[in-house]
C-alpha cells in the first residue's frame, strides 16, 4: 500500500496554531523593502522564508539560537512546511540574521506594530514605560573604570618620566650630549621617538639585544625594555579612555556595555556591578510599541530620547505615560508640558512625603511647613530667609533655584538633630518643580491615576516577567550595541505576535459563544 507522507498545511497544522498567525502578519507587511538581497547568493535560501522561520521561533520560544532553528527545521512539522522540506544550517540562519536584517529590524518592528494596531483594539493614548537591565555577554573580570584608568595612567607616566631621567643620566655618563625633556602630559609618539634613538644608539655601538634566562642585559637595553613596557601600558590606557568615551565604565569584551547594579550577581552574590544594557519598553495594552537601548544605568536621561524615537516612528506622542519614580525629573516634566503629555510619573521622594512624621524624620525638608509668604518653617518654628536665586542650565531645560538659609540655627536647641552647618541650614528649592510635584500627586491619587498605575504595573512588569521567566530570556547573547539591538527587536516582535495570537483566539471564542447564545 502506498502511503502519503506529504505535509499538508490545511490538514496537519491546527487552525488555531500560532504558525498561521505569524504567516498572516508577515504576509500583511512588505518584507521585500526591508530585506537586503545584495548580500545573498543566487543559490541562497528565500529571504522571506528565512524571516518567517526566525520570527516563528521567536514567537514560540522567545529566544532561539541558530542551532535550535536548524533542529526545528528537521523535526517540527510547522517549520518543515514553511521551509518546504529544505533544511537550512545554523550558518545559513546566522548569515541571514547578521547580513540581511541588521539595518532594517527597527523598521520591521514598527511595521508589524502598525499591522497589529489595525487588527487589534489598542489604546495608543496610554504608553506604560518601564526599564530593565539585561546582563551583557561579557566575560568575568573585564572591568574598565574611568577613575582607575586615570590613576593608573598618571602613576605609569611618573614611572616613565623617571625612566627618561635615567636615560639622560646614562647618556651624560658616556659623554653623549643627548637630553630628553620631561613632558607634563603622556605622549606615545614622544616615547616612540626616544625608543628609536635608543635602538640606533645600540646598533651604532654594537650592543647586542639579548633575551631569555641566563643572559645579562646591557644597562641601555634595560632602560630600553623599561621604556617599551611603559609605552605599551600608556597605549593600553589610551585605548581604554577611547572605549569609555563619556561613560565611567565599560567592559573589555563588550565595550558598548556599561557596568550597572543588578539584582543578582554570580561573582559573590552581593549585588556588585555587572556589564549590561538598560532596555526601555513602551507598552500599550500589552503590545510593545517602542524600545530604547542605552548603556546609561539611570532611567532619568532615557525618557526624552525614548519619546522622540516614538514620535519619529509613529508621527505622534501618547497623551499619558505612566511610569515609576525613576523617570520623575524637572527635564522630563518640562518635556511633557511642552508636548501636552499629562504627568503620571512619580518622583524621587514621593513615598517619603507620605510617611508619618516622627521624631526621627521631622527634620527632613520634605516635612517642613510653609508660612503665608511661602518661606520654609523648621521644626523649632524659625523661618528660612531667601538668600539668592540662581539659574541651573546643566539640564535640557534651564531651571530657577531659590536658596534659603536659616539664621537662627546658632541659638536653636535642636541644631544637633537638624544640621551640622556652621552658618545655618540651607535649602535649595525650585518653585516650578514643586508645581510639577503637586500636579503629579493630584493625578496619581485620582481614580484615573490609580487605574493607570495598576495598568503600568501589570503590563510592564508582566512583559518583563514573561520574557525573563516564562521564555527564559534573562541574559543577552550577542555583543555590541548593534547585536543587542537586533536581538531585542526580534524578541519583541515574537512577544507581540504571541499576544496578538492570544487576542485572536480569545476573540474567536467570544464570537462562538455569542453565536451559540
Amino acid at each position: 500500500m502506498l502511503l502519503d507522507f506529504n505535509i499538508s498545511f490545511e490538514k496537519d497544522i491546527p487552525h488555531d496554531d500560532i504558525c498561521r498567525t505569524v504567516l498572516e502578519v508577515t504576509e500583511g507587511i512588505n518584507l521585500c523593502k526591508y530585506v537586503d538581497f545584495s548580500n545573498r547568493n543566487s543559490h541562497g535560501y528565500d529571504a522571506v522564508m528565512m524571516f518567517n522561520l526566525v520570527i516563528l521561533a521567536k514567537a514560540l520560544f522567545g529566544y532561539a539560537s541558530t542551532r535550535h532553528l536548524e533542529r526545528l527545521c528537521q523535526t517540527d512539522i510547522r517549520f518543515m512546511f514553511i521551509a518546504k522540506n529544505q533544511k537550512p544550517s545554523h550558518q545559513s540562519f546566522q548569515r541571514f540574521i547578521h547580513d540581511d536584517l541588521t539595518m532594517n529590524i527597527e523598521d520591521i518592528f514598527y511595521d508589524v506594530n502598525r499591522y497589529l494596531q489595525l487588527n487589534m483594539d489598542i489604546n495608543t493614548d496610554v504608553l506604560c514605560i518601564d526599564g530593565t537591565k539585561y546582563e551583557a555577554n561579557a566575560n568575568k573580570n573585564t572591568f574598565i573604570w574611568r577613575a582607575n584608568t586615570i590613576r593608573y595612567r598618571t602613576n605609569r607616566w611618573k614611572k616613565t618620566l623617571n625612566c627618561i631621567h635615567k636615560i639622560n643620566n646614562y647618556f651624560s655618563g658616556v659623554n653623549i650630549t643627548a637630553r630628553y625633556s620631561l613632558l607634563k602630559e603622556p605622549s606615545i609618539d614622544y616615547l616612540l621617538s626616544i625608543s628609536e634613538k635608543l635602538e640606533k644608539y645600540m646598533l651604532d655601538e654594537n650592543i647586542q639585544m639579548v633575551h631569555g634566562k641566563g643572559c645579562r642585559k646591557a644597562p641601555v637595553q634595560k632602560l630600553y625594555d623599561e621604556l617599551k613596557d611603559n609605552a605599551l601600558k600608556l597605549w593600553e590606557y589610551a585605548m581604554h579612555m577611547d572605549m569609555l568615551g563619556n561613560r565611567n565604565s565599560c567592559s573589555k569584551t563588550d565595550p558598548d556595555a556599561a557596568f550597572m547594579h543588578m539584582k543578582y550577581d554570580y561573582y559573590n552574590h552581593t549585588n556588585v556591578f555587572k556589564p549590561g544594557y538598560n532596555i526601555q519598553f513602551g507598552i500599550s495594552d500589552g503590545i510593545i510599541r517602542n524600545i530604547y537601548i542605552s548603556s546609561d544605568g539611570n532611567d532619568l536621561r532615557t525618557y526624552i530620547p525614548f519619546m522622540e524615537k516614538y514620535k519619529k516612528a509613529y508621527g505622534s506622542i501618547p497623551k499619558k505615560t505612566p511610569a515609576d519614580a525613576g523617570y520623575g525629573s524637572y527635564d522630563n516634566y518640562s518635556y511633557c508640558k511642552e508636548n501636552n503629555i499629562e504627568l503620571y510619573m512619580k518622583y524621587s521622594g514621593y513615598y517619603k512625603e507620605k510617611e508619618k512624621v516622627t521624631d526621627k524624620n521631622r527634620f527632613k525638608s520634605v516635612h517642613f511647613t510653609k508660612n503665608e509668604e511661602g518661606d520654609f518653617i523648621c521644626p523649632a518654628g524659625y523661618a528660612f530667609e531667601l538668600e539668592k536665586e540662581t539659574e541651573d542650565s546643566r539640564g535640557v531645560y534651564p531651571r530657577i533655584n531659590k536658596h534659603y538659609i536659616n539664621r537662627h540655627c546658632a541659638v536653636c536647641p535642636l541644631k544637633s538633630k537638624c544640621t551640622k552647618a556652621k552658618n545655618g541650614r540651607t535649602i535649595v528649592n525650585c518653585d516650578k518643580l514643586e508645581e510639577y510635584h503637586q500636579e503629579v500627586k493630584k493625578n496619581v491619587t485620582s481614580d484615573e491615576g490609580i487605574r493607570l498605575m495598576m495598568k503600568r504595573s501589570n503590563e510592564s512588569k508582566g512583559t518583563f516577567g514573561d520574557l525573563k521567566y516564562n521564555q527564559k530570556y534573562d541574559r543577552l547573547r550577542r555583543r555590541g550595541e548593534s547585536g543587542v539591538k537586533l536581538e531585542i527587536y526580534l524578541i519583541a516582535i515574537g512577544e507581540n505576535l504571541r499576544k496578538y495570537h492570544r487576542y485572536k483566539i480569545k476573540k474567536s471564542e467570544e464570537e462562538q459563544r455569542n453565536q451559540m447564545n
Side-chain angles (χ1 to χ4, degrees):
M1 180 181 296
L2 298 177
L3 300 179
D4 185 12
F5 291 101
N6 294 326
I7 301 173
S8 174
F9 184 71
E10 297 295 335
K11 297 180 181 178
D12 299 329
I13 300 177
H15 68 282
D16 58 348
D17 191 85
I18 194 174
C19 172
R20 299 179 182 273
T21 302
V22 172
L23 292 178
E24 171 200 339
V25 175
T26 54
E27 291 173 0
I29 61 176
N30 185 13
L31 288 177
C32 296
K33 61 182 180 181
Y34 296 127
V35 178
D36 185 10
F37 292 95
S38 61
N39 295 325
R40 305 190 61 79
N41 298 324
S42 59
H43 58 275
Y45 294 103
D46 180 48
V48 177
M49 177 197 78
M50 298 291 284
F51 181 79
N52 289 335
L53 294 173
V54 172
I55 294 301
L56 178 57
K58 303 297 182 183
L60 286 171
F61 309 104
Y63 176 79
S65 64
T66 55
R67 292 189 180 275
H68 189 192
L69 284 166
E70 180 183 4
R71 290 193 299 270
L72 289 172
C73 292
Q74 299 173 358
T75 58
D76 195 306
I77 189 174
R78 297 167 294 189
F79 288 83
M80 295 169 64
F81 175 80
I82 294 176
K84 300 177 182 178
N85 287 330
Q86 300 179 88
K87 295 178 175 55
S89 65
H90 68 94
Q91 295 177 342
S92 300
F93 283 109
Q94 171 59 22
R95 284 192 293 268
F96 171 76
I97 294 173
H98 184 269
D99 297 335
D100 301 339
L101 293 180
T102 302
M103 302 302 296
N104 308 294
I105 191 62
E106 293 186 51
D107 298 331
I108 296 176
F109 170 77
Y110 291 120
D111 206 358
V112 169
N113 281 350
R114 294 187 190 96
Y115 179 87
L116 299 184
Q117 184 177 349
L118 294 175
N119 293 272
M120 295 178 65
D121 186 15
I122 303 176
N123 183 13
T124 57
D125 291 337
V126 179
L127 184 70
C128 301
I129 301 176
D130 199 6
T132 188
K133 296 178 178 63
Y134 271 100
E135 183 183 352
N137 183 13
N139 297 338
K140 294 183 181 180
N141 302 322
T142 58
F143 308 95
I144 298 179
W145 302 97
R146 176 180 293 276
N148 291 348
T149 302
I150 294 175
R151 185 172 70 252
Y152 296 155
R153 184 181 62 175
T154 303
N155 295 337
R156 180 62 64 169
W157 183 243
K158 291 179 181 179
K159 294 181 180 179
T160 306
L161 294 180
N162 187 28
C163 180
I164 295 175
H165 181 69
K166 290 189 291 185
I167 292 174
N168 291 334
N169 292 339
Y170 175 81
F171 282 133
S172 64
V174 295
N175 298 324
I176 296 178
T177 59
R179 185 173 181 83
Y180 298 102
S181 303
L182 303 180
L183 303 181
K184 294 183 179 181
E185 294 294 330
S187 175
I188 306 298
D189 295 335
Y190 182 62
L191 299 182
L192 292 176
S193 64
I194 297 177
S195 63
E196 290 177 359
K197 296 291 181 61
L198 290 177
E199 290 178 355
K200 185 176 183 302
Y201 169 76
M202 288 187 290
L203 184 62
D204 295 340
E205 297 294 330
N206 294 325
I207 299 176
Q208 295 293 331
M209 296 280 289
V210 296
H211 301 281
K213 187 177 180 180
C215 298
R216 185 179 297 275
K217 296 181 179 179
V220 65
Q221 184 183 354
K222 293 181 180 179
L223 295 175
Y224 171 79
D225 292 341
E226 182 181 353
L227 184 67
K228 181 180 178 181
D229 294 339
N230 292 333
L232 290 175
K233 276 296 181 181
L234 289 172
W235 176 81
E236 179 183 347
Y237 297 145
M239 292 293 295
H240 289 177
M241 294 300 294
D242 290 340
M243 293 164 63
L244 285 169
N246 297 326
R247 299 171 298 168
N248 292 325
S249 64
C250 71
S251 174
K252 295 178 184 178
T253 49
D254 190 355
D256 292 335
F259 280 85
M260 304 176 183
H261 200 72
M262 299 188 183
K263 295 180 180 179
Y264 176 74
D265 161 48
Y266 55 73
Y267 289 90
N268 49 15
H269 307 288
T270 55
N271 295 329
V272 298
F273 291 93
K274 292 191 293 184
Y277 292 86
N278 192 359
I279 312 296
Q280 304 290 321
F281 277 2
I283 303 170
S284 296
D285 289 339
I287 300 299
I288 304 174
R289 298 273 297 169
N290 195 31
I291 301 174
Y292 181 72
I293 302 171
S294 71
S295 57
D296 192 344
N298 194 342
D299 292 336
L300 289 176
R301 294 182 288 269
T302 62
Y303 180 79
I304 295 178
F306 178 87
M307 296 304 297
E308 287 296 316
K309 186 177 181 181
Y310 185 97
K311 182 179 181 180
K312 182 179 179 181
Y314 298 104
S316 61
I317 289 182
K319 298 179 181 178
K320 302 173 183 178
T321 58
D324 56 17
Y327 299 87
S329 67
Y330 180 84
D331 288 338
N332 294 342
Y333 291 148
S334 300
Y335 177 84
C336 290
K337 282 297 182 181
E338 184 180 324
N339 293 274
N340 299 322
I341 302 175
E342 299 181 24
L343 301 183
Y344 284 96
M345 296 181 294
K346 297 178 182 179
Y347 52 88
S348 178
Y350 173 80
Y351 295 103
K352 290 292 182 180
E353 295 179 358
K354 300 174 64 175
E355 290 180 352
K356 182 180 178 181
V357 180
T358 61
D359 187 60
K360 292 183 178 180
N361 62 10
R362 67 192 181 103
F363 297 101
K364 295 182 178 180
S365 60
V366 294
H367 298 304
F368 287 3
T369 59
K370 290 186 176 182
N371 56 17
E372 296 179 355
E373 290 78 14
D375 299 328
F376 289 94
I377 304 298
C378 72
Y382 298 112
F384 285 76
E385 300 177 8
L386 179 61
E387 185 180 18
K388 60 180 178 179
E389 291 186 4
T390 58
E391 181 179 354
D392 188 355
S393 58
R394 292 176 295 179
V396 180
Y397 297 88
R399 56 190 287 184
I400 303 299
N401 292 330
K402 292 184 177 180
H403 298 257
Y404 295 88
I405 186 170
N406 195 328
R407 303 187 186 279
H408 304 85
C409 293
V411 296
C412 181
L414 302 177
K415 179 183 178 181
S416 60
K417 296 182 179 180
C418 182
T419 181
K420 296 181 181 179
K422 296 180 180 180
N423 299 326
R425 181 170 179 176
T426 59
I427 295 177
V428 180
N429 185 61
C430 178
D431 293 340
K432 194 66 176 179
L433 181 59
E434 194 169 349
E435 292 179 8
Y436 291 152
H437 288 177
Q438 295 298 327
E439 185 177 350
V440 169
K441 285 190 286 187
K442 179 182 177 181
N443 292 342
V444 170
T445 54
S446 63
D447 294 339
E448 176 70 10
I450 294 174
R451 185 186 66 82
L452 288 178
M453 299 312 292
M454 291 182 61
K455 179 182 179 68
R456 185 206 71 85
S457 179
N458 293 335
E459 292 189 356
S460 59
K461 302 299 182 184
T463 300
F464 287 128
D466 187 27
L467 290 176
K468 288 188 175 183
Y469 297 100
N470 295 340
Q471 304 300 327
K472 307 300 180 183
Y473 181 68
D474 54 356
R475 187 177 180 183
L476 300 171
R477 271 72 170 184
R478 293 179 179 269
R479 292 179 177 176
E481 186 175 354
S482 60
V484 171
K485 182 183 294 185
L486 172 65
E487 183 177 328
I488 290 294
Y489 275 94
L490 286 175
I491 295 293
I493 292 175
E495 180 73 10
N496 288 345
L497 292 181
R498 191 160 52 248
K499 291 181 178 179
Y500 173 58
H501 178 69
R502 296 172 188 166
Y503 170 83
K504 284 179 54 181
I505 297 299
K506 184 178 180 180
K507 185 178 180 180
S508 177
E509 292 176 352
E510 291 178 354
E511 292 177 352
Q512 292 180 2
R513 283 196 297 266
N514 294 334
Q515 292 177 0
M516 294 177 62
N517 295 333

